[in-house]
Amino acid sequence: FEPVKNDFKKTIEQNLFSDLTMQQLAALTNMSFSSFKRKFKELFNDTPNHYINSKKIEKSIFKILSSEGSISQIAFDVGFESLATFNRNFKKITGQSPTQFKLNQNA
């Protein structure tokens, strides 16, 4: 049991779907940005941006599949600051736009 490790993970998990910047997340963990990135890589074996965006897209897929609102509402609900950023990240991870994904699920 490592309290610092648990606190770090807990802080990340509690703020996964917020629209905080990486610098703001680092500040919440009381670390410099470079220390934050190193610790994040050590614990999650991924970069902060990639990990957090992947989790946001995972949650958005669940919301699309369960028809919880419009694409734009889902984008903001999972913490993306703009629809364009959401669409770009969604397509990068799934290979299709959110609208295409939703249409394919309804077909």
Side-chain angles (χ1 to χ4, degrees), residues 72 75-76 80-91 98:
S72 59
F76 294 112
F80 282 95
E81 68 278 357
S82 75
L83 188 56
T85 303
F86 172 69
N87 287 335
R88 185 173 47 255
N89 281 284
F90 194 97
K91 188 166 187 171

Side-chain angles (χ1 to χ4, degrees), residues 29-56:
T29 61
N30 296 315
M31 294 183 162
S32 69
F33 186 55
S34 57
S35 294
F36 171 80
K37 290 192 303 185
R38 277 192 302 279
K39 184 71 163 179
F40 196 100
K41 179 80 171 165
E42 174 188 318
L43 295 177
F44 293 97
N45 200 32
D46 203 350
T47 65
N49 276 332
H50 185 264
Y51 180 84
I52 292 170
N53 284 337
S54 295
K55 291 296 182 188
K56 287 179 178 183

Side-chain angles (χ1 to χ4, degrees), residues 50-87:
H50 185 264
Y51 180 84
I52 292 170
N53 284 337
S54 295
K55 291 296 182 188
K56 287 179 178 183
I57 296 302
E58 280 179 29
K59 186 173 182 178
S60 69
I61 288 171
F62 174 79
K63 285 179 165 281
I64 289 169
L65 293 175
S66 59
S67 299
E68 291 186 28
S70 67
I71 298 294
S72 59
Q73 185 60 49
I74 290 169
F76 294 112
D77 287 350
V78 299
F80 282 95
E81 68 278 357
S82 75
L83 188 56
T85 303
F86 172 69
N87 287 335

